[in-house]
Amino acid sequence: IKFRARLTPYLYDLLWRSHTRYEPMIRPTLYDFPHDPRCFAENDDMMLGENLLVASVVEPGLNERMIYLPQGTDWYDFWTGNRYAGGQSVTLPAPWNRPPLLARAGSVIPLNLAEQHFAQVADARGFAIFPPAGNSEFSDEFFEDDGESEGYRDGRYGLWQIKVSAAADRLGISIKRAGACPPSADSITLILPCQETRRIDTGSATILSDRISEGVREVRLNPE
């Protein structure tokens, strides 16, 4: 339940994309990787949006799971940060409290990092970034509104716009707020795999801290 609450901003954005672009939130791997013939084989894997690969454990007594990683991209173990090349099968642990979950390289997952309690709203925006290994760049944007009214019908909502450029020794990360009602946050936290040691360049945004915590690299900054 806590992890689902953490994923709420990502799920909320997927609902917005479903509403405006008719994109399915949950889809078979062949939907996003139609050129990989192995994705057409019967399997129990699914994509949650275009960036998360969920490998369900559907047989009793299993504490690990063999997963085929669609080709055409690298994949990160969401929990450990280990990176794997696509087009191969890997076996990952599948304990009760941590189902196998992989993120596509070159993706961003918006998160709510605040501790959640019943009847008490808490929100602290974070972004899990899974950068490509080589020289490349990617961008994405994520919907956000007040979560209460129907003002979005009249355009009263905002967008987080994120652009990541990767080089051999640095990661350029730009985070901007846009829209008629831009998202508000005094600070945000970037979460990267702890194996990611490249220097972070955030442009005009001020980096407040950069540390390893609970197996991930956390970079806290003031957004532009």
Side-chain angles (χ1 to χ4, degrees), residues 160-221:
W160 289 103
Q161 297 179 331
I162 301 179
K163 182 177 180 179
V164 179
S165 57
D169 61 345
R170 62 177 289 278
L171 286 176
I173 302 176
S174 169
I175 300 179
K176 297 182 179 180
R177 293 173 280 197
C181 300
S184 61
D186 294 331
S187 68
I188 60 173
T189 300
L190 309 180
I191 297 179
L192 299 103
C194 62
Q195 299 90 332
E196 180 56 71
T197 60
R198 284 176 283 187
R199 177 174 59 85
I200 303 294
D201 180 2
T202 58
S204 60
T206 302
I207 294 179
L208 304 175
S209 64
D210 186 346
R211 62 173 186 157
I212 300 296
S213 175
E214 298 182 356
V216 297
R217 183 180 178 185
E218 290 187 356
V219 180
R220 192 167 67 91
L221 53 84

Side-chain angles (χ1 to χ4, degrees), residues 49-206:
E50 65 179 349
N51 292 323
L52 289 181
L53 172 60
V54 182
S56 303
V57 178
V58 296
E59 297 182 15
L62 293 184
N63 56 14
E64 62 180 23
R65 172 75 150 75
M66 179 177 288
I67 308 153
Y68 174 70
L69 306 178
Q71 62 184 352
T73 183
D74 288 349
W75 295 91
Y76 282 92
D77 185 323
F78 191 92
W79 309 109
T80 67
N82 293 332
R83 189 175 71 245
Y84 303 94
Q88 64 170 327
S89 295
V90 298
T91 299
L92 298 179
W96 282 100
N97 63 337
R98 203 176 74 180
L101 181 66
L102 295 115
R104 186 201 295 246
S107 69
V108 178
I109 307 296
L111 303 171
N112 180 3
L113 302 181
E115 185 72 22
Q116 301 299 306
H117 303 279
F118 288 108
Q120 181 179 339
V121 177
D123 186 71
R125 186 62 63 247
F127 296 96
I129 298 178
F130 300 94
N135 297 337
S136 62
E137 64 179 37
F138 66 93
S139 61
D140 210 338
E141 63 180 22
F142 302 99
F143 171 85
E144 193 158 318
D145 64 7
D146 61 17
E148 297 179 359
S149 73
E150 295 192 5
Y152 72 91
R153 297 181 183 275
D154 301 318
R156 297 198 301 273
Y157 61 84
L159 296 168
W160 289 103
Q161 297 179 331
I162 301 179
K163 182 177 180 179
V164 179
S165 57
D169 61 345
R170 62 177 289 278
L171 286 176
I173 302 176
S174 169
I175 300 179
K176 297 182 179 180
R177 293 173 280 197
C181 300
S184 61
D186 294 331
S187 68
I188 60 173
T189 300
L190 309 180
I191 297 179
L192 299 103
C194 62
Q195 299 90 332
E196 180 56 71
T197 60
R198 284 176 283 187
R199 177 174 59 85
I200 303 294
D201 180 2
T202 58
S204 60
T206 302

